[in-house]
Amino acid sequence: KKTLFSGMQATGTLTLGNYLGALKNWVALEEEYQCFYCVVDLHSITVRQDPAELRKRARALLTLYIAAGLNPEKNCIYYQSHVSGHAELSWILNCFTYMGELNRMTQFKDKSAKHADNINAGLYTYPVLMAADILLFQSDVVPVGSDQKQHLEITRDIAERFNGIYGDVFTIPEPYIGKQGARIMSLQDPEKKMSKSDENANASIYLMDDTDTIIRKFKRAVTDSDNEIHYSEDKPGIRNLIDIYAATTGKSISDIEKEFANTGYGDFKLAVGEAVADLLKPIQDRFEELQKDKAYIDGIIKANAEKANYYSLKTLRKVQKKVGFPERI
Ligand code: TYM
C-alpha cells in the first residue's frame, strides 16, 4: 500500500472548510492507503497558546478525526508531540532549506502581519516542520485544501534537493486537492478564506454548530443583489454557497443550477443550511459518545504513538546516517 499523510492544527475549533477541504477526503481515501493522521501540536505553538486549552483542543481534534469516520485501528491517528522524529528531522531539513525560499511563503507573510508582536523563528520555519511531517513517513500523497499547496511545493523542493545530494532517501509526495471544497470562503466576506481564527463567528460554520446556528449563519451569508442561483466569477457569495452545497451533497454545479433555477436566494440558503446540518449531525453525535469513552481514546493515543514512532525511526535513522552522524553502538 502507498502511504498517506495529513494533519491539522489544534488551534481554534474546526470549520466546515477544514472538513470539506481535508477531513472528508481523508475518510474517502483511507481504504486505499496506509494512513497517518496527525494532530500537529508542534505547529500550534508558533502562535501563543494557553497550555490547558491547547491540551484540551488537541484531544478534541484527535477524537473528532475518529468521529468523522477515520478508523483508528487501521490508521495511525496520533499527536505530533508524541513522536520526536518530527522535530529531529525538521532540524536536519532546516539545514537544507534556504531563507530565500521561506521568505516567499505567503502564509508566513499573512501570519506575521497578524501576529506582529510575535514573529518568532518557529513561525518562519513552520513549512520545514511540515515538510518533516510528510517526509518522515515516506508519504506518497497528502490530502489538503488549496491553501496548503505552496507548503507542498516547498516540501517537494526540499526532498528533491536532499535526494540530489544523498541519493533516493525521500519519496516525493503529491498533494491531493479535491475538486470540490478545496477552498471554502467566509460567509461574511466571500473574497476571504473561511478560517478558524476569524473574529466574526458568523463568517464560519464550526463543526460543532447546532442545526439552528448553521441555518441562521447561512441565511445571513453575504450574497450579491440579484437573485439567480448561477455559478460565476463575479458572484463570489453565491458561488461559495454552490461550492459548499456541491461538496456537501456530491451534486454537480450544473445540476445544482438546474435544481434551483426557479427559486431565489432565500430558499437556496435554507437548502444549503439543511444539507450541511444533516452532514454534521452524525459526526457531532459520535463525537459526544467517543468523548465519554476515556479509556478507549487513551488506548488509541498510546498504541498509535508507538506505531508512528516505529515508522518514523526507519526514515530518521537513514537520514542521520546519510548526513554523517555517528553510528549508535
Ligand atoms: P490547518 O490546520 O490550517 O487546516 C487543516 C486542513 O484544512 C484545510 N482548510 C481548508 N480547506 C478548504 N477551505 C478552507 N477554508 C480551509 N481552511 C483550511 C487546509 O488546507 C488543511 O488541509 N499547515 C497545515 C497543517 C499541517 C499539515 C502537515 C498538513 C502540518 N503539517 C503535513 C498536511 C501535511 C495547517 O495549518 O492546516
Side-chain angles (χ1 to χ4, degrees):
K1 268 193 182 178
K2 289 194 166 185
T3 302
L4 179 155
F5 184 95
S6 202
M8 290 199 190
Q9 292 209 60
T11 8
T13 16
L14 288 205
T15 70
L16 185 62
N18 297 125
Y19 183 76
L20 295 178
L23 198 47
K24 184 168 166 271
N25 295 329
W26 301 5
V27 177
L29 294 168
E30 79 162 351
E31 291 291 328
E32 222 180 298
Y33 294 90
Q34 175 173 34
C35 304
F36 294 87
Y37 299 116
C38 189
V39 171
V40 297
D41 47 2
L42 300 184
H43 281 103
S44 294
I45 64 163
T46 54
V47 300
R48 211 60 83 216
Q49 302 289 338
D50 174 70
E53 190 64 24
L54 177 60
R55 215 178 332 269
K56 206 174 104 196
R57 286 193 165 145
R59 187 165 174 114
L61 181 56
L62 188 135
T63 308
L64 190 63
Y65 283 0
I66 304 169
L70 298 174
N71 181 338
E73 260 116 280
K74 277 206 206 138
N75 299 303
C76 200
I77 297 178
Y78 72 103
Y79 296 124
Q80 192 183 26
S81 61
H82 284 190
V83 177
S84 60
H86 288 272
E88 292 182 70
L89 182 60
S90 179
W91 170 255
I92 295 173
L93 297 182
N94 267 325
C95 304
F96 293 84
T97 308
Y98 298 116
M99 290 179 66
E101 291 178 291
L102 294 175
N103 290 337
R104 286 196 291 274
M105 294 292 117
T106 54
Q107 191 160 307
F108 172 69
K109 287 183 205 165
D110 293 347
K111 283 199 182 166
S112 35
K114 213 169 147 195
H115 304 279
D117 55 334
N118 182 21
I119 307 177
N120 61 71
L123 197 62
Y124 187 61
T125 59
Y126 179 114
V128 185
L129 178 58
M130 181 159 159
D133 298 342
I134 295 166
L135 301 178
L136 193 56
F137 296 96
Q138 305 291 356
S139 311
D140 296 283
V141 65
V142 184
V144 285
S146 62
D147 62 331
Q148 296 300 316
K149 215 170 146 196
Q150 199 185 28
H151 287 159
L152 260 297
E153 278 159 16
I154 194 174
T155 300
R156 289 166 58 92
D157 290 344
I158 296 169
E160 276 165 6
R161 180 171 308 134
F162 196 94
N163 285 357
I165 303 170
Y166 299 105
D168 278 339
V169 178
F170 293 123
T171 303
I172 308 297
E174 295 281 345
Y176 176 100
I177 297 173
K179 281 194 192 71
Q180 292 171 326
R183 190 168 173 82
I184 301 297
M185 310 308 280
S186 153
L187 299 184
Q188 291 298 312
D189 176 1
E191 309 284 348
K192 237 172 64 183
K193 176 182 88 157
M194 184 181 285
S195 157
K196 286 180 262 208
S197 52
D198 206 307
E199 288 111 39
N200 182 350
N202 285 325
S204 309
I205 301 291
Y206 299 111
L207 288 202
M208 291 300 146
D209 280 349
D210 61 29
T211 300
D212 289 348
T213 308
I214 292 171
I215 290 176
R216 179 172 45 77
K217 286 182 180 178
F218 277 109
K219 273 192 186 156
R220 290 190 189 162
V222 170
T223 41
D224 54 278
S225 56
D226 94 49
N227 202 25
E228 204 186 323
I229 318 302
H230 173 58
Y231 195 87
S232 112
E233 284 299 316
D234 53 357
K235 287 157 69 91
I238 207 71
R239 194 181 63 204
N240 187 37
L241 297 185
I242 296 175
D243 274 331
I244 292 174
Y245 193 65
T248 301
T249 60
K251 292 180 185 171
S252 74
I253 288 166
S254 59
D255 282 350
I256 295 168
E257 285 176 334
K258 272 183 225 141
E259 186 181 342
F260 292 95
N262 299 317
T263 55
Y265 285 175
D267 288 344
F268 182 56
K269 285 177 172 178
L270 183 63
V272 181
E274 284 173 344
V276 169
D278 286 350
L279 176 77
L280 298 184
K281 186 75 177 59
I283 299 174
Q284 295 170 351
D285 291 346
R286 271 199 301 275
F287 178 78
E288 294 303 329
E289 280 307 304
L290 281 165
Q291 259 200 331
K292 287 183 212 150
D293 201 345
K294 185 171 182 305
Y296 173 71
I297 300 291
D298 285 349
I300 298 293
I301 290 171
K302 191 166 188 304
N304 281 333
E306 279 166 17
K307 192 168 154 194
N309 257 306
Y310 169 81
Y311 285 104
S312 73
L313 281 176
K314 286 198 194 180
T315 305
L316 189 65
R317 293 291 177 256
K318 195 163 154 191
V319 171
Q320 288 168 332
K321 192 171 166 194
K322 288 285 182 187
V323 299
F325 294 164
E327 271 173 61
R328 278 155 205 266
I329 299 159

